[in-house]
Amino acid sequence: MKWSELSRKQRTLALVGAAVLGLAVIAGAFALGMSLGDDPGPDTAADAGSDTSEATGTTETTSTDEPATDTAEPEAPPVAEAEPEPPAPAPTPPPADPRVFGQLKGIRDESGGAWAELWVDIDTAVFLTGEDALEWLTSQGDAAFYRAIYWYAKPDGAAITSHRLKPDSIKVWMYTYPTVPPAGFYGPGMTKQTVGFGEFYDAIYMAGDPNCLLNRYYWFTVEGGYITIIEEQPRDPCYEP
């Protein structure tokens, strides 16, 4: 049937059908294109895999460490100059010997016989043994008198030293009085004889000092300005340097 033979109604329906058909074709083509885009073909997938594999093989491994940042280090505190070391303390001197060495020259009673103020007069000396004694004797031209077993008294000036004593608290230690040991050198180990001060004083001033207790050498212990001990320094009576 020819187009001219169609009625107006038929023509309208034909145009509408053609339009609907065209829209259907367009929609189908669009749907097909979407389907093709979501599901690539085998070649496309292979190519994509090849690209991915190639890209993976050539990609360099990167470190996961955080990138270094320039952090300003805190300034170190200024170093204090070392203080100079204090000087080494001077060695502590040995304690002073509370004793005085010398000849007993006299005992004076300044209280008129009441024994309330007694004084001892001492001709002080230096006690020498060994090399010290030899050196001193040599300086005096007396080296021939030196004996290693003897001690020697070096005069310590010409002045007489005086110290007070208390009769009720002083001790007298003797080694050759009142018992006289055998002749010989009176060295260490001799028996100490304790003598009362009254007996010692009377032997000198009441009996006329027959045992020559004056002018012997003694050690005088001085404490608090008072003599507390008079101790004889024994020597060989056969030897007088």
Side-chain angles (χ1 to χ4, degrees):
M1 182 178 287
K2 299 180 180 179
W3 177 260
S4 59
E5 293 178 355
L6 296 176
S7 64
R8 182 183 297 270
K9 183 176 180 179
Q10 289 177 335
R11 290 177 182 179
T12 302
L13 292 174
L15 290 173
V16 172
V20 172
L21 180 61
L23 291 175
V25 172
I26 293 171
F30 181 77
L32 180 61
M34 291 294 293
S35 175
L36 293 175
D38 293 340
D39 186 14
D43 295 339
T44 304
D47 294 341
S50 175
D51 293 341
T52 302
S53 174
E54 182 178 354
T56 303
T58 59
T59 301
E60 294 181 3
T61 304
T62 58
S63 173
T64 58
D65 295 339
E66 295 183 358
T69 58
D70 294 336
T71 303
E73 297 182 359
E75 295 184 0
V79 179
E81 295 184 1
E83 297 183 359
E85 296 183 0
T92 303
D97 192 338
R99 301 183 302 169
V100 176
F101 178 71
Q103 283 182 308
L104 174 62
K105 289 300 183 181
I107 301 175
R108 295 179 287 113
D109 182 4
E110 298 294 336
S111 63
W115 278 29
E117 190 175 347
L118 294 177
W119 292 81
V120 176
D121 299 326
I122 307 167
D123 187 2
T124 58
V126 179
F127 183 82
L128 298 177
T129 59
E131 291 298 322
D132 293 335
L134 178 58
E135 182 178 351
W136 176 66
L137 290 173
T138 301
S139 69
Q140 301 298 307
D142 296 330
F145 293 101
Y146 173 75
R147 296 292 183 274
I149 62 174
Y150 295 134
W151 58 265
Y152 300 84
K154 175 184 175 182
D156 188 16
I160 300 297
T161 301
S162 299
H163 298 275
R164 296 185 64 180
L165 61 81
K166 296 178 180 179
D168 57 347
S169 61
I170 189 170
K171 300 179 179 65
V172 180
W173 296 341
M174 301 295 295
Y175 296 91
T176 63
Y177 172 84
T179 301
V180 180
F185 181 72
Y186 303 145
M190 295 179 62
T191 302
K192 180 174 67 177
Q193 305 175 62
T194 301
V195 179
F197 177 74
E199 178 185 352
F200 183 75
Y201 183 91
D202 289 344
I204 296 173
Y205 294 102
M206 299 294 106
D209 195 18
N211 297 290
C212 300
L213 299 181
L214 289 178
N215 296 318
R216 292 193 187 192
Y217 285 93
Y218 298 86
W219 291 97
F220 303 88
T221 301
V222 182
E223 297 178 341
Y226 287 82
I227 292 178
T228 57
I229 300 175
I230 298 176
E231 180 179 7
E232 179 190 10
Q233 173 59 53
R235 68 185 309 157
D236 190 337
C238 300
Y239 176 77
E240 294 294 334

